[in-house]
Amino acid sequence: MMISTKGRYALRVLVDMASHQTDGFIPLKEIAARQEISEKYLESIVKTLVRGGVITGLRGKGGGYRLKLAPEDCSVGAVLRMTENSLAPVACLEDGAPACARRADCPTLPMWQGLDKLVNEYLDRWTIADLVASAEPGGNYII
């Protein structure tokens, strides 16, 4: 399993928003500048986060984006599953995967299922609030 830049940047955006949530709606341009991420690339990421119900947007003067969920109610696992589509270590464990003909006789399946469970449980224990709390002073965090 490899987390793409989309998943990593989504977490950075959410930590940034949580760190500046008293500012109201935050223009994407400001987030892009602080995080040194292309504004164009962030547009696709925030669309995913809006569709997932994690953030909300407002157009026009004074517009931008803000968290829809409290940082402590937004799990890292949920965000990564939203942006990555799957955290499964093997294709046969992905949601909607066709049934594997070898499933009943697969000696490695229990190991993959265990890994899948560990990864999801671990990431679900972390929240955006946890990431904000663990960030170094000055917002100099790396995800």
Side-chain angles (χ1 to χ4, degrees):
M1 169 189 65
M2 178 78 77
I3 304 299
S4 70
T5 56
K6 186 174 184 178
R8 293 186 354 254
Y9 289 0
L11 293 174
R12 285 173 53 185
V13 165
L14 293 173
V15 169
D16 188 287
M17 286 181 178
S19 298
H20 295 92
Q21 62 185 345
T22 57
D23 298 347
F25 285 93
I26 306 166
L28 196 57
K29 184 180 236 172
E30 289 180 17
I31 297 168
R34 281 194 295 262
Q35 296 303 316
E36 298 176 340
I37 301 171
S38 158
E39 188 175 349
K40 191 74 171 163
Y41 190 40
L42 285 186
E43 287 173 3
S44 70
I45 293 170
V46 297
K47 283 180 187 176
T48 300
L49 296 173
V50 167
R51 274 194 309 267
V54 177
I55 64 174
T56 187
L58 179 67
R59 290 183 157 187
K61 187 173 169 78
Y65 295 91
R66 70 175 182 195
L67 295 175
K68 193 171 182 179
L69 299 174
E72 58 274 6
D73 294 334
C74 185
S75 84
V76 168
V79 172
L80 291 177
R81 282 186 293 276
M82 185 183 311
T83 56
E84 301 296 323
N85 297 323
S86 175
L87 297 176
V90 290
C92 65
L93 294 180
E94 290 181 0
D95 286 339
C100 176
R102 300 179 52 93
R103 186 176 184 99
D105 299 319
C106 181
T108 62
L109 182 60
M111 175 193 63
W112 295 126
Q113 288 171 323
L115 178 60
D116 187 48
K117 183 179 179 194
L118 284 171
V119 167
N120 280 282
E121 286 176 353
Y122 177 79
L123 293 173
D124 285 339
R125 282 195 305 257
W126 284 84
T127 66
I128 297 304
D130 295 327
L131 297 179
V132 170
S134 68
E136 295 176 4
N140 221 1
Y141 51 88
I142 299 172
I143 298 177

